[in-house]
Amino acid sequence: MTATLIEGKPIALDIRAEVAAKVALFQAKLGRAPGLTVVLVGEDPASQVYVRNKGVLTREAGMVSDEIKLPADTAQSDLLALLGKLNADPLVDGILVQMPLPPHIDSQAVVAAIDPAKDVDGLHPVNAGYLAQGIEALVPCTPKGCMIMLERIKAQVPKAEVAGASALVIGRSILVGRPMGALLLSANATVTMAHSRSRDLPALCAEADIVVAAVGKPEMVRGEWLKRGAVVIDVGINRIAKEDGKTKLVGDVHFASAVEVASAITPVPGGVGLMTTACLLQNTLDAACARARIKL
Ligand code: NDP
């Protein structure tokens, strides 16, 4: 068996086109475009690339993108004061503080200082609380993207139907694993959450119709662990060394063995990663519409 590939690019392109069309309607109704402000503290090279990329795609969708770059030694109080100003700015619909923050800044305090209505990363405790209660709110972008992938692939791969499925989420981070589990539960899956203290991961995988791996351990989940026909969503992005001294990106799932057992699988790169920014644009539009009390 060779699994169907769940590629992120066509789905992400569709979402971005849908967002751009609705942004034009928003502009026509309100005389302005939705605005996203991304705050970057320090000079982490990977974060700089992410922020630049988010800016390009935001503008491509017709939205206003503002990037605020602060030095690595910015005091926490100054960052909180900036967030206060952005919260009060009527032209700012979405605020995203790029993680990780320098170690002297308490990232929880920073996330909690963002107006939940502008929290396009969906990490504010209010939004996390809504999600835990199964109430629609701003949802973290990566798990939102995974749910959209499952939804889109199910016409082709019926085993991707979430309702009634046994779903295993490996990883329980606030950014990915926990919200993923909550979304799957809201969509009527029977959800098992695994983490570093779980006793027998292969046995848990063997029971799962849907496996979502969000661990940060290169190629940890082996094809031999999977139930035949499982649907595999690989969130992991890990850079490893190749024999020729160069590097390559791999997921948390050992793709070559998993593709022989699964009925559908996301590739790395080219899978979930592309969905995250598309969902950020979607969240920014949703936040703008909710703040303007309009439905498009
Ligand atoms: P975290 O490091 O925050 O969380 C990792 C989770 O994996 C923890 O819950 C940890 O358990 C669990 N874990 C670690 N080792 C094991 C193990 N041996 N068996 C089972 N569980 C284990 O990572 P993130 O959730 O932020 O990210 C996970 C991966 O997803 C990374 O590769 C990251 O790069 C990628 N990522 C990709 C995105 C995308 O857009 N595609 C976006 C965000 C992340 P415990 O809680 O017990 O420590």
Side-chain angles (χ1 to χ4, degrees):
M1 176 183 211
T2 302
T4 300
L5 270 194
I6 316 174
E7 289 185 276
K9 193 170 180 183
I11 308 176
L13 280 175
D14 278 357
I15 295 172
R16 281 160 47 196
E18 277 164 31
V19 170
K22 288 190 176 173
V23 164
L25 295 177
F26 185 99
Q27 170 90 47
K29 266 188 192 252
L30 283 107
R32 71 170 185 92
L36 171 66
T37 299
V38 177
V39 181
L40 173 63
V41 185
E43 270 132 39
D44 177 59
S47 294
Q48 284 178 331
V49 173
Y50 292 141
V51 168
R52 203 176 316 125
N53 189 26
K54 283 170 190 162
V56 168
L57 295 181
T58 305
R59 283 186 285 276
E60 247 178 53
M63 297 196 267
V64 177
S65 162
D66 195 13
E67 287 148 36
I68 300 178
K69 293 186 179 143
L70 302 174
D73 62 355
T74 298
Q76 178 166 317
S77 55
D78 290 341
L79 178 56
L80 296 182
L82 170 67
L83 292 175
K85 280 190 196 149
L86 295 173
N87 286 341
D89 185 338
L91 299 180
V92 174
D93 296 294
I95 302 169
L96 186 155
V97 178
Q98 184 66 44
M99 301 288 168
L101 287 165
H104 68 280
I105 296 181
D106 173 358
S107 51
Q108 256 176 315
V110 170
V111 169
I114 297 172
D115 178 350
K118 298 187 177 189
D119 167 40
V120 286
D121 246 351
L123 297 175
H124 191 286
V126 166
N127 287 322
Y130 280 136
L131 179 59
Q133 293 182 352
I135 298 168
E136 208 176 304
L138 289 167
V139 168
C141 302
T142 301
K144 180 174 176 152
C146 296
M147 292 302 290
I148 294 172
M149 291 179 118
L150 287 167
E151 180 61 33
R152 293 276 181 119
I153 200 74
K154 78 177 184 203
Q156 211 179 325
V157 182
K159 288 192 170 167
E161 172 64 60
V162 172
S166 167
L168 173 69
V169 180
I170 315 174
R172 57 176 166 181
S173 70
I174 289 169
L175 188 63
V176 189
R178 281 172 202 257
M180 189 72 224
L183 286 170
L184 286 164
L185 184 60
S186 290
N188 298 316
T190 302
V191 181
T192 302
M193 300 292 303
H195 44 77
S196 66
R197 306 287 294 274
S198 296
R199 277 206 189 111
D200 190 348
L201 199 51
L204 295 173
C205 285
E207 296 296 318
D209 303 311
I210 297 172
V211 174
V212 180
V215 188
K217 298 256 185 284
E219 303 179 320
M220 185 188 84
V221 177
R222 313 290 305 183
E224 311 84 86
W225 298 3
L226 299 170
K227 182 171 171 178
R228 185 150 290 276
V231 172
V232 178
I233 305 289
D234 190 353
V235 180
I237 302 179
N238 309 286
R239 188 167 287 285
I240 60 166
K242 289 197 294 180
E243 278 168 11
D244 62 6
K246 295 187 179 155
T247 63
K248 64 170 181 175
L249 290 181
V250 297
D252 290 339
V253 177
H254 185 259
F255 186 84
S257 56
V259 78
E260 297 301 328
V261 183
S263 59
I265 185 167
T266 58
V268 178
V272 175
L274 297 170
M275 299 295 295
T276 300
T277 328
C279 289
L280 173 66
L281 304 182
Q282 177 79 67
N283 276 357
T284 304
L285 175 66
D286 289 350
C289 289
R291 293 183 60 251
R293 295 180 199 284
I294 57 165
K295 272 204 154 78
L296 296 175

